[in-house]
Amino acid sequence: TLKSHEELKQSLSEFCESMFALWLEKPFVSKLVAQEANLGFRRTERLFKKTFFRCMEIFTQFFTEVQQRSLIRPDVSPQSLAALLFAAMHEVMRMNDLIEKCHNVSLANPQFRKQLIRDWVLCTIEGAAQRNQQKSLPQSKNRRKVLEQNSL
């Protein structure tokens, strides 16, 4: 069980690395499944739900559990964090060929992948981390009002 922000970042980094490693094994298959699912092919859609969508569910469960341990703010949606993670990873995987063409780096490069994951985890967790009550939010009845206004 995770007990600190450092453990949370480490666990999430390992999770991201595993996802990228799976994609790197057969990037063409992942691209094809996602593309065909977007086109509405039923068989591929079922496959997408069993694989990619399952990853999204695992991410959501992960963030829900760490939120219950007060490692991320209570006003952040675990499902939103999961969607942001999944979308960010998917977009980098989808654009990997173009990134390599334009910037001469690729997910196949361990240093690039490590830096990408580190930066993403740092930005996401530090941005969502609950640290000694968020000082920018009022600690009174006004807090709910501020949260409601910010969610609009």
Side-chain angles (χ1 to χ4, degrees), residues 24-85:
L24 283 167
E25 286 180 19
K26 295 184 180 170
F28 180 75
V29 173
S30 299
K31 289 177 191 178
L32 186 62
V33 170
Q35 183 179 5
E36 288 188 1
N38 282 332
L39 293 172
F41 295 132
R42 288 194 191 281
R43 181 171 276 175
T44 311
E45 205 171 290
R46 284 192 301 266
L47 178 61
F48 185 83
K49 285 180 182 177
K50 287 181 181 179
T51 56
F52 295 100
F53 189 72
R54 181 66 184 127
C55 291
M56 174 79 170
E57 289 174 335
I58 291 168
F59 288 146
T60 300
Q61 181 181 357
F62 175 81
F63 285 121
T64 299
E65 289 174 11
V66 297
Q67 188 176 53
Q68 290 168 350
R69 292 185 191 116
S70 299
L71 292 174
I72 61 172
R73 294 174 10 190
D75 59 331
V76 173
S77 162
Q79 191 168 20
S80 293
L81 281 177
L84 289 168
L85 169 63

Side-chain angles (χ1 to χ4, degrees), residues 54-144:
R54 181 66 184 127
C55 291
M56 174 79 170
E57 289 174 335
I58 291 168
F59 288 146
T60 300
Q61 181 181 357
F62 175 81
F63 285 121
T64 299
E65 289 174 11
V66 297
Q67 188 176 53
Q68 290 168 350
R69 292 185 191 116
S70 299
L71 292 174
I72 61 172
R73 294 174 10 190
D75 59 331
V76 173
S77 162
Q79 191 168 20
S80 293
L81 281 177
L84 289 168
L85 169 63
F86 192 75
M89 291 182 73
H90 181 265
E91 190 62 15
V92 171
M93 289 184 274
R94 190 178 74 79
M95 297 296 293
N96 188 58
D97 293 341
L98 188 57
I99 292 169
E100 184 173 20
K101 191 177 196 178
C102 295
H103 299 286
N104 201 31
V105 292
S106 162
L107 287 173
N109 178 322
Q111 289 93 0
F112 172 68
R113 198 170 57 247
K114 184 177 181 177
Q115 185 69 44
L116 180 72
I117 291 169
R118 189 197 78 74
D119 292 348
W120 186 89
V121 168
L122 181 67
C123 291
T124 301
I125 298 307
E126 294 301 323
Q130 179 172 307
R131 300 221 188 248
N132 301 329
Q133 297 291 334
Q134 295 293 325
K135 293 178 183 173
S136 61
L137 294 176
Q139 298 299 316
S140 65
K141 294 176 186 176
N142 292 332
R143 181 178 178 154
R144 180 181 298 142

